[in-house]
Amino acid sequence: QVLLVESGGGAVEAGGSLRLSCAASGLRFDQYNLGWFRQVPGKEREAVACVGWEGITTYYADSVKGRFTISRNNAENTLYLQMTSLKPEDTAMYYCAAGLIVIPSSCTPVTGYNHLGQGTQVTVSS
């Protein structure tokens, strides 16, 4: 059974930083492409950042480029998202996701990231 557990969310003021972590189990971690997605009520889930199984290929949404960094530690089965210069519009539930048949350089298809964590809430106040 694949299990993805996110942590590190919280409430911060605009301009602050957070580091999200995602601990994975029940899968061959180093074979999976990984990503961070976010969702706010009433809107579709959107891709934030993705990384290929090899840890080199990456994708960032335009809204987070230069502020967020995705990384993975295959030895520890952990995915990270370093978020800096946070903005109120970054407020959302953030999900860790894993998929095999996806294109990590474009984080598509979203449905291909078929293993999803339970999410961690990030709230940024102005």
Side-chain angles (χ1 to χ4, degrees), residues 57-123:
T57 305
T58 57
Y59 164 88
Y60 293 95
D62 287 344
S63 59
V64 307
K65 281 181 182 177
R67 301 188 298 120
F68 291 11
T69 303
I70 190 171
S71 61
R72 62 188 295 165
N73 185 325
N74 285 349
E76 296 185 354
N77 286 11
T78 305
L79 176 70
Y80 301 100
L81 184 69
Q82 179 68 50
M83 306 187 294
T84 62
S85 301
L86 283 161
K87 303 176 181 180
E89 50 263 44
D90 294 319
T91 295
M93 185 70 80
Y94 283 71
Y95 298 91
C96 166
L100 287 173
I101 313 301
V102 296
I103 305 171
S105 59
S106 62
C107 236
T108 59
V110 173
T111 54
Y113 290 86
N114 54 325
H115 297 296
L116 209 65
Q118 84 290 346
T120 186
Q121 177 68 36
V122 172
T123 302

